[in-house]
PDB file of all heavy atoms in Angstrom:
ATOM      1  N   ALA W 153     -43.268  33.901-119.613  1.00 98.00           N
ATOM      2  CA  ALA W 153     -42.106  34.670-119.129  1.00 98.00           C
ATOM      3  C   ALA W 153     -41.769  35.814-120.058  1.00 98.00           C
ATOM      4  O   ALA W 153     -41.266  36.857-119.607  1.00 98.00           O
ATOM      5  CB  ALA W 153     -40.897  33.744-118.949  1.00 98.00           C
ATOM      6  N   THR W 154     -42.046  35.642-121.353  1.00 98.00           N
ATOM      7  CA  THR W 154     -41.709  36.710-122.312  1.00 98.00           C
ATOM      8  C   THR W 154     -42.594  37.932-122.162  1.00 98.00           C
ATOM      9  O   THR W 154     -42.313  38.966-122.778  1.00 98.00           O
ATOM     10  CB  THR W 154     -41.768  36.218-123.768  1.00 98.00           C
ATOM     11  OG1 THR W 154     -43.124  35.968-124.151  1.00 98.00           O
ATOM     12  CG2 THR W 154     -40.933  34.960-123.968  1.00 98.00           C
ATOM     13  N   PHE W 155     -43.639  37.854-121.353  1.00 98.00           N
ATOM     14  CA  PHE W 155     -44.469  39.031-121.097  1.00 98.00           C
ATOM     15  C   PHE W 155     -43.597  40.160-120.547  1.00 98.00           C
ATOM     16  O   PHE W 155     -43.831  41.344-120.826  1.00 98.00           O
ATOM     17  CB  PHE W 155     -45.586  38.677-120.133  1.00 98.00           C
ATOM     18  CG  PHE W 155     -46.763  39.618-120.124  1.00 98.00           C
ATOM     19  CD1 PHE W 155     -47.874  39.342-119.360  1.00 98.00           C
ATOM     20  CD2 PHE W 155     -46.774  40.776-120.901  1.00 98.00           C
ATOM     21  CE1 PHE W 155     -48.975  40.193-119.349  1.00 98.00           C
ATOM     22  CE2 PHE W 155     -47.872  41.628-120.906  1.00 98.00           C
ATOM     23  CZ  PHE W 155     -48.976  41.344-120.114  1.00 98.00           C
ATOM     24  N   HIS W 156     -42.596  39.791-119.736  1.00 98.00           N
ATOM     25  CA  HIS W 156     -41.692  40.824-119.204  1.00 98.00           C
ATOM     26  C   HIS W 156     -40.952  41.533-120.354  1.00 98.00           C
ATOM     27  O   HIS W 156     -40.828  42.753-120.347  1.00 98.00           O
ATOM     28  CB  HIS W 156     -40.675  40.192-118.249  1.00 98.00           C
ATOM     29  CG  HIS W 156     -39.694  41.172-117.699  1.00 98.00           C
ATOM     30  ND1 HIS W 156     -39.959  41.928-116.566  1.00 98.00           N
ATOM     31  CD2 HIS W 156     -38.461  41.555-118.117  1.00 98.00           C
ATOM     32  CE1 HIS W 156     -38.930  42.728-116.337  1.00 98.00           C
ATOM     33  NE2 HIS W 156     -37.996  42.509-117.268  1.00 98.00           N
ATOM     34  N   MET W 157     -40.482  40.763-121.326  1.00 98.00           N
ATOM     35  CA  MET W 157     -39.780  41.357-122.452  1.00 98.00           C
ATOM     36  C   MET W 157     -40.730  42.184-123.316  1.00 98.00           C
ATOM     37  O   MET W 157     -40.367  43.249-123.820  1.00 98.00           O
ATOM     38  CB  MET W 157     -39.123  40.274-123.315  1.00 98.00           C
ATOM     39  CG  MET W 157     -37.935  39.565-122.663  1.00 98.00           C
ATOM     40  SD  MET W 157     -38.429  38.376-121.396  1.00 98.00           S
ATOM     41  CE  MET W 157     -36.938  37.407-121.231  1.00 98.00           C
ATOM     42  N   ILE W 158     -41.959  41.680-123.496  1.00 98.00           N
ATOM     43  CA  ILE W 158     -42.953  42.435-124.279  1.00 98.00           C
ATOM     44  C   ILE W 158     -43.136  43.831-123.671  1.00 98.00           C
ATOM     45  O   ILE W 158     -43.209  44.836-124.396  1.00 98.00           O
ATOM     46  CB  ILE W 158     -44.294  41.683-124.314  1.00 98.00           C
ATOM     47  CG1 ILE W 158     -44.167  40.405-125.137  1.00 98.00           C
ATOM     48  CG2 ILE W 158     -45.397  42.579-124.907  1.00 98.00           C
ATOM     49  CD1 ILE W 158     -45.381  39.490-125.028  1.00 98.00           C
ATOM     50  N   ARG W 159     -43.203  43.884-122.373  1.00 98.00           N
ATOM     51  CA  ARG W 159     -43.379  45.187-121.687  1.00 98.00           C
ATOM     52  C   ARG W 159     -42.203  46.113-121.908  1.00 98.00           C
ATOM     53  O   ARG W 159     -42.303  47.324-121.698  1.00 98.00           O
ATOM     54  CB  ARG W 159     -43.622  44.957-120.199  1.00 98.00           C
ATOM     55  CG  ARG W 159     -44.987  44.348-119.889  1.00 98.00           C
ATOM     56  CD  ARG W 159     -45.097  43.996-118.419  1.00 98.00           C
ATOM     57  NE  ARG W 159     -46.459  43.619-118.048  1.00 98.00           N
ATOM     58  CZ  ARG W 159     -46.772  42.683-117.189  1.00 98.00           C
ATOM     59  NH1 ARG W 159     -45.786  41.982-116.589  1.00 98.00           N
ATOM     60  NH2 ARG W 159     -48.018  42.390-116.907  1.00 98.00           N
ATOM     61  N   LYS W 160     -41.074  45.531-122.302  1.00 97.00           N
ATOM     62  CA  LYS W 160     -39.877  46.322-122.639  1.00 97.00           C
ATOM     63  C   LYS W 160     -39.761  46.555-124.131  1.00 97.00           C
ATOM     64  O   LYS W 160     -38.711  46.979-124.622  1.00 97.00           O
ATOM     65  CB  LYS W 160     -38.617  45.608-122.127  1.00 97.00           C
ATOM     66  CG  LYS W 160     -38.608  45.299-120.652  1.00 97.00           C
ATOM     67  CD  LYS W 160     -38.456  46.536-119.801  1.00 97.00           C
ATOM     68  CE  LYS W 160     -38.358  46.189-118.325  1.00 97.00           C
ATOM     69  NZ  LYS W 160     -38.164  47.377-117.477  1.00 97.00           N
ATOM     70  N   ASP W 161     -40.838  46.240-124.875  1.00 97.00           N
ATOM     71  CA  ASP W 161     -40.863  46.356-126.346  1.00 97.00           C
ATOM     72  C   ASP W 161     -39.842  45.470-127.019  1.00 97.00           C
ATOM     73  O   ASP W 161     -39.287  45.797-128.067  1.00 97.00           O
ATOM     74  CB  ASP W 161     -40.673  47.814-126.782  1.00 97.00           C
ATOM     75  CG  ASP W 161     -41.841  48.690-126.380  1.00 97.00           C
ATOM     76  OD1 ASP W 161     -42.987  48.189-126.359  1.00 97.00           O
ATOM     77  OD2 ASP W 161     -41.634  49.881-126.070  1.00 97.00           O
ATOM     78  N   GLN W 162     -39.602  44.294-126.426  1.00 97.00           N
ATOM     79  CA  GLN W 162     -38.739  43.278-127.012  1.00 97.00           C
ATOM     80  C   GLN W 162     -39.622  42.081-127.389  1.00 97.00           C
ATOM     81  O   GLN W 162     -40.113  41.391-126.507  1.00 97.00           O
ATOM     82  CB  GLN W 162     -37.661  42.843-126.013  1.00 97.00           C
ATOM     83  CG  GLN W 162     -36.759  43.978-125.531  1.00 97.00           C
ATOM     84  CD  GLN W 162     -35.834  43.526-124.406  1.00 97.00           C
ATOM     85  OE1 GLN W 162     -35.615  42.342-124.189  1.00 97.00           O
ATOM     86  NE2 GLN W 162     -35.328  44.485-123.657  1.00 97.00           N
ATOM     87  N   PHE W 163     -39.789  41.861-128.680  1.00 98.00           N
ATOM     88  CA  PHE W 163     -40.775  40.861-129.131  1.00 98.00           C
ATOM     89  C   PHE W 163     -40.156  39.605-129.746  1.00 98.00           C
ATOM     90  O   PHE W 163     -40.872  38.643-130.018  1.00 98.00           O
ATOM     91  CB  PHE W 163     -41.712  41.494-130.170  1.00 98.00           C
ATOM     92  CG  PHE W 163     -42.312  42.808-129.744  1.00 98.00           C
ATOM     93  CD1 PHE W 163     -42.310  43.898-130.611  1.00 98.00           C
ATOM     94  CD2 PHE W 163     -42.860  42.968-128.487  1.00 98.00           C
ATOM     95  CE1 PHE W 163     -42.853  45.101-130.226  1.00 98.00           C
ATOM     96  CE2 PHE W 163     -43.409  44.176-128.079  1.00 98.00           C
ATOM     97  CZ  PHE W 163     -43.415  45.258-128.963  1.00 98.00           C
ATOM     98  N   HIS W 164     -38.855  39.623-129.977  1.00 97.00           N
ATOM     99  CA  HIS W 164     -38.226  38.548-130.731  1.00 97.00           C
ATOM    100  C   HIS W 164     -38.490  37.176-130.102  1.00 97.00           C
ATOM    101  O   HIS W 164     -38.889  36.233-130.813  1.00 97.00           O
ATOM    102  CB  HIS W 164     -36.707  38.801-130.822  1.00 97.00           C
ATOM    103  CG  HIS W 164     -35.954  37.655-131.404  1.00 97.00           C
ATOM    104  ND1 HIS W 164     -35.930  37.406-132.767  1.00 97.00           N
ATOM    105  CD2 HIS W 164     -35.220  36.657-130.821  1.00 97.00           C
ATOM    106  CE1 HIS W 164     -35.213  36.320-133.000  1.00 97.00           C
ATOM    107  NE2 HIS W 164     -34.753  35.851-131.844  1.00 97.00           N
ATOM    108  N   ASP W 165     -38.263  37.057-128.811  1.00 98.00           N
ATOM    109  CA  ASP W 165     -38.413  35.728-128.176  1.00 98.00           C
ATOM    110  C   ASP W 165     -39.873  35.296-128.139  1.00 98.00           C
ATOM    111  O   ASP W 165     -40.166  34.109-128.313  1.00 98.00           O
ATOM    112  CB  ASP W 165     -37.817  35.761-126.773  1.00 98.00           C
ATOM    113  CG  ASP W 165     -36.318  35.889-126.808  1.00 98.00           C
ATOM    114  OD1 ASP W 165     -35.641  34.959-127.280  1.00 98.00           O
ATOM    115  OD2 ASP W 165     -35.817  36.951-126.414  1.00 98.00           O
ATOM    116  N   THR W 166     -40.782  36.234-127.923  1.00 98.00           N
ATOM    117  CA  THR W 166     -42.209  35.874-127.939  1.00 98.00           C
ATOM    118  C   THR W 166     -42.577  35.273-129.291  1.00 98.00           C
ATOM    119  O   THR W 166     -43.228  34.213-129.352  1.00 98.00           O
ATOM    120  CB  THR W 166     -43.071  37.122-127.671  1.00 98.00           C
ATOM    121  OG1 THR W 166     -42.714  37.693-126.408  1.00 98.00           O
ATOM    122  CG2 THR W 166     -44.548  36.760-127.669  1.00 98.00           C
ATOM    123  N   LEU W 167     -42.183  35.925-130.363  1.00 98.00           N
ATOM    124  CA  LEU W 167     -42.555  35.456-131.698  1.00 98.00           C
ATOM    125  C   LEU W 167     -41.875  34.140-132.043  1.00 98.00           C
ATOM    126  O   LEU W 167     -42.478  33.261-132.674  1.00 98.00           O
ATOM    127  CB  LEU W 167     -42.230  36.529-132.737  1.00 98.00           C
ATOM    128  CG  LEU W 167     -42.963  37.875-132.527  1.00 98.00           C
ATOM    129  CD1 LEU W 167     -42.530  38.881-133.579  1.00 98.00           C
ATOM    130  CD2 LEU W 167     -44.482  37.689-132.560  1.00 98.00           C
ATOM    131  N   LYS W 168     -40.636  33.994-131.621  1.00 98.00           N
ATOM    132  CA  LYS W 168     -39.915  32.762-131.910  1.00 98.00           C
ATOM    133  C   LYS W 168     -40.506  31.578-131.125  1.00 98.00           C
ATOM    134  O   LYS W 168     -40.686  30.488-131.676  1.00 98.00           O
ATOM    135  CB  LYS W 168     -38.437  32.933-131.569  1.00 98.00           C
ATOM    136  CG  LYS W 168     -37.547  31.809-132.070  1.00 98.00           C
ATOM    137  CD  LYS W 168     -36.065  32.167-131.906  1.00 98.00           C
ATOM    138  CE  LYS W 168     -35.174  31.042-132.396  1.00 98.00           C
ATOM    139  NZ  LYS W 168     -33.731  31.383-132.222  1.00 98.00           N
ATOM    140  N   ILE W 169     -40.815  31.803-129.863  1.00 98.00           N
ATOM    141  CA  ILE W 169     -41.403  30.733-129.035  1.00 98.00           C
ATOM    142  C   ILE W 169     -42.820  30.437-129.507  1.00 98.00           C
ATOM    143  O   ILE W 169     -43.247  29.270-129.517  1.00 98.00           O
ATOM    144  CB  ILE W 169     -41.365  31.132-127.554  1.00 98.00           C
ATOM    145  CG1 ILE W 169     -39.900  31.120-127.067  1.00 98.00           C
ATOM    146  CG2 ILE W 169     -42.223  30.206-126.701  1.00 98.00           C
ATOM    147  CD1 ILE W 169     -39.684  31.688-125.690  1.00 98.00           C
ATOM    148  N   ALA W 170     -43.551  31.462-129.924  1.00 98.00           N
ATOM    149  CA  ALA W 170     -44.896  31.243-130.486  1.00 98.00           C
ATOM    150  C   ALA W 170     -44.829  30.288-131.674  1.00 98.00           C
ATOM    151  O   ALA W 170     -45.687  29.404-131.837  1.00 98.00           O
ATOM    152  CB  ALA W 170     -45.518  32.573-130.904  1.00 98.00           C
TER     153      ALA W 170
END
Side-chain angles (χ1 to χ4, degrees):
T154 70
F155 200 176
H156 179 86
M157 290 75 163
I158 292 171
R159 289 174 171 142
K160 303 290 184 178
D161 293 327
Q162 300 172 19
F163 310 133
H164 172 77
D165 291 293
T166 302
L167 299 178
K168 191 170 180 180
I169 290 171

